[in-house]
Amino acid sequence: MRMYDLIMKKRNGGKLTKEEIGYMVQGFTAGEIPDYQMSAMMMAVYFMGMDEEETLHLTMAMAHSGDMLDLSGIQGIKVDKHSTGGVGDKTSLALAPMVAACGIKVAKMSGRGLGHTGGTIDKLESFPGFTTEIPEDRFMENVNRIGIAIMGQTADLAPADKKLYALRDVTATVDNMSLIASSIMSKKLASGADAIILDVKSGSGAFMKTEEKARALAEEMVKLGKNAGRRTAAVISDMDQPLGYAVGNALEVKEAIDTLNGNGPADFLELCLTLGSHMVVAGGMAKNTAEAEGKLRQVIADGSALGKLADFVEAQGGDREMVYHPERLPRAAFTESIPSPREGYVSRIVCDEVGVCSLMLGGGRETKDSAIDLSVGLVLQKKVGDFVRKGEALAVIHGNDREKMQAAARRFTESYAFSDCPAERQPFIKAVIE
Ligand code: URA
């Protein structure tokens, strides 16, 4: 078999066989197929697509490209959650402690930022000393003891996805349904949870820009999970504007802490309750989602979810006191308001542009290896449907470099559109696919 022939076959619209996909994934993982050939293949897949069978073969080949984690040492049903990525998406930071406080075992593998979207690991590193590079036995022990552990994708777990993810990030081949579905599901299958709840984003800040595409992705992933014998469900939520108000690593950690203190933004709380209730039901701790939601509200009200976050941060090397004193998290040197250029109702926010503004401030990576500034970002003051007067703040920008702040503020202002009447509010949760 030759990679050249496989690239040509896909480029011409052909269907790759299980053997061909296996050859390509193994060869790439072993370093025998170079990046430039795999990049060409990714672009061919981007344009010509993969059908359901090809996507299944790709997912399975990537899942089996390294170790398959055995979580049988953890008692009870292990539940994992994964988001397709968005702007201001700090969901795991609040959701994992909420469901763990309800007695669910959260054994989770998370990622770093990708494109204009942030990553859970980067956000968690706002707690100095916090690490997701923990050995497997400590990961298991933490899940058994406190109910949550989060680790990064190790070199041994779905290594094919790890290499491909980095390649896709820099070759404009992220937003393809088969590639996203196989990337997410290969990791989820390799990391061994019994149940998988997927948070599929739809809108201008998501990789899937329309609800139709998000639904197709959700259905594809649910099918992949079920075919692999895992209980799988997907929630489709709106990403046409940032989730909550905060965008930027430490700022998002603070917003997640506020939420666990009962002061979270309505959309973010709704998402945590929806995903969480499916996780609690899948983990066998409630008979239905209504009962599960009651439990989740209770663990916020009695402080046990916040306590779980503190236990989790401490167990992975961070300072638990910061959970109770979020003002000690990394803070930028300067803050400035971004004034509204006119009076009216906010009718639209180009959400991925807001993600880019955070990257411009230093909140994301320029290259695969660059460091990120955890303190910078934006806190929106106005979202779609809100009324704003000319000169009133649309957002507060947090930065360490005045020039970058000015450039980001200009771009941010351009991402807003206004109208004279309030826009009709769209439902935030669009569908649940089970
Ligand atoms: N998240 C992933 O893990 N992979 C993708 O391809 C996109 C989002």
Side-chain angles (χ1 to χ4, degrees):
M1 229 180 267
R2 291 194 322 150
M3 187 63 179
Y4 180 93
D5 298 329
L6 304 189
I7 297 169
M8 190 146 74
K9 185 175 183 186
K10 184 44 76 186
R11 187 200 71 184
N12 293 343
K15 174 170 171 161
L16 299 173
T17 65
K18 181 178 177 188
E19 290 68 34
E20 287 167 340
I21 290 172
Y23 164 83
M24 150 180 126
V25 170
Q26 273 160 28
F28 179 60
T29 311
E32 288 150 13
I33 292 172
D35 280 2
Y36 54 83
Q37 282 192 312
M38 201 49 153
S39 304
M41 174 59 90
M42 290 297 103
M43 197 53 89
V45 170
Y46 182 88
F47 282 114
M48 304 313 291
M50 275 185 154
D51 71 9
E52 221 176 89
E53 238 178 297
E54 289 175 293
T55 308
L56 174 65
H57 297 321
L58 180 61
T59 307
M60 290 322 232
M62 293 210 298
H64 289 277
S65 63
D67 295 345
M68 298 289 280
L69 210 60
D70 175 9
L71 298 184
S72 56
I74 300 172
Q75 299 119 31
I77 301 173
K78 280 76 67 182
V79 185
D80 197 352
K81 165 262 165 195
H82 197 89
S83 153
T84 58
V87 179
D89 186 5
K90 71 277 304 171
T91 310
S92 295
L93 305 177
L95 177 62
M98 282 165 66
V99 298
C102 293
I104 299 296
K105 295 283 165 54
V106 185
K108 179 159 170 45
M109 198 172 67
S110 288
R112 295 193 180 271
L114 180 69
H116 65 275
T117 68
T120 302
I121 297 183
D122 297 329
K123 290 170 201 181
L124 281 167
E125 286 176 352
S126 300
F127 294 102
F130 186 96
T131 179
T132 50
E133 285 175 23
I134 51 175
E136 224 174 281
D137 51 352
R138 192 162 139 216
F139 178 79
M140 309 262 202
E141 187 203 310
N142 287 358
V143 182
N144 271 329
R145 188 165 54 84
I146 57 174
I148 325 177
I150 294 186
M151 66 175 188
Q153 189 174 2
T154 63
D156 308 327
L157 222 104
D161 171 64
K162 193 171 176 149
K163 279 187 85 176
L164 258 191
Y165 192 90
L167 196 64
R168 287 168 54 224
D169 192 24
V170 290
T171 55
T173 50
V174 172
D175 48 342
N176 170 272
M177 197 182 82
S178 295
L179 298 180
I180 295 179
S182 57
S183 164
I184 292 178
M185 293 309 289
S186 64
K187 283 185 285 236
K188 298 293 106 180
L189 298 179
S191 51
D194 306 303
I196 302 162
I197 307 299
L198 300 160
D199 178 13
V200 179
K201 310 287 194 191
S202 141
S204 63
F207 292 123
M208 296 289 115
K209 303 287 181 207
T210 64
E211 196 177 324
E212 195 189 344
K213 286 187 176 164
R215 185 178 276 273
L217 174 64
E219 283 170 355
E220 183 89 43
M221 291 198 289
V222 169
K223 237 181 277 165
L224 286 169
K226 294 209 161 144
N227 281 337
R230 313 292 170 90
R231 185 171 179 163
T232 311
V235 172
I236 301 177
S237 65
D238 181 65
M239 192 33 80
D240 239 354
Q241 58 177 335
L243 180 61
Y245 292 98
V247 179
N249 296 286
L251 295 169
E252 292 185 40
V253 172
K254 181 173 178 311
E255 190 163 74
I257 292 173
D258 290 345
T259 304
L260 295 178
N261 273 315
N263 305 317
D267 58 349
F268 182 53
L269 179 64
E270 185 182 352
L271 183 63
C272 289
L273 291 172
T274 308
L275 290 166
S277 55
H278 283 91
M279 291 173 82
V280 170
V281 171
M285 289 293 172
K287 285 191 286 301
N288 53 47
T289 50
E291 184 190 337
E293 187 177 322
K295 291 190 174 196
L296 290 162
R297 287 187 186 276
Q298 178 60 29
V299 294
I300 292 179
D302 67 17
S304 54
L306 190 70
K308 273 286 171 219
L309 178 64
D311 294 346
F312 159 62
V313 166
E314 185 175 39
Q316 294 198 207
D319 176 3
R320 64 178 295 121
E321 284 308 309
M322 280 195 173
V323 169
Y324 300 102
H325 296 281
E327 71 283 359
R328 295 186 196 159
L329 288 163
R331 277 165 77 162
F334 312 114
T335 55
E336 266 168 34
S337 290
I338 305 177
S340 176
R342 57 162 280 190
E343 177 174 300
Y345 291 90
V346 178
S347 58
R348 184 157 182 254
I349 302 175
V350 185
C351 185
D352 48 2
E353 281 292 296
V354 179
V356 171
C357 293
S358 176
L359 300 185
M360 287 168 76
L361 294 166
R365 285 179 189 76
E366 294 288 332
T367 66
K368 274 200 296 191
D369 305 312
S370 51
I372 58 177
D373 186 340
L374 297 164
S375 66
V376 299
L378 300 123
V379 181
L380 274 58
Q381 307 292 307
K382 299 287 173 187
K383 292 185 66 175
V384 174
D386 290 344
F387 181 75
V388 60
R389 290 185 200 291
K390 185 170 181 203
E392 205 184 340
L394 290 177
V396 175
I397 186 165
H398 295 238
N400 290 310
D401 176 321
R402 295 266 190 208
E403 245 173 67
K404 285 184 186 168
M405 286 170 77
Q406 269 171 14
R410 269 195 302 276
R411 194 150 172 175
F412 181 84
T413 310
E414 280 163 19
S415 74
Y416 270 62
F418 303 88
S419 64
D420 294 330
C421 329
E424 203 182 309
R425 293 206 190 243
Q426 300 297 323
F428 174 69
I429 302 288
K430 307 212 172 269
V432 177
I433 315 260
E434 288 185 88

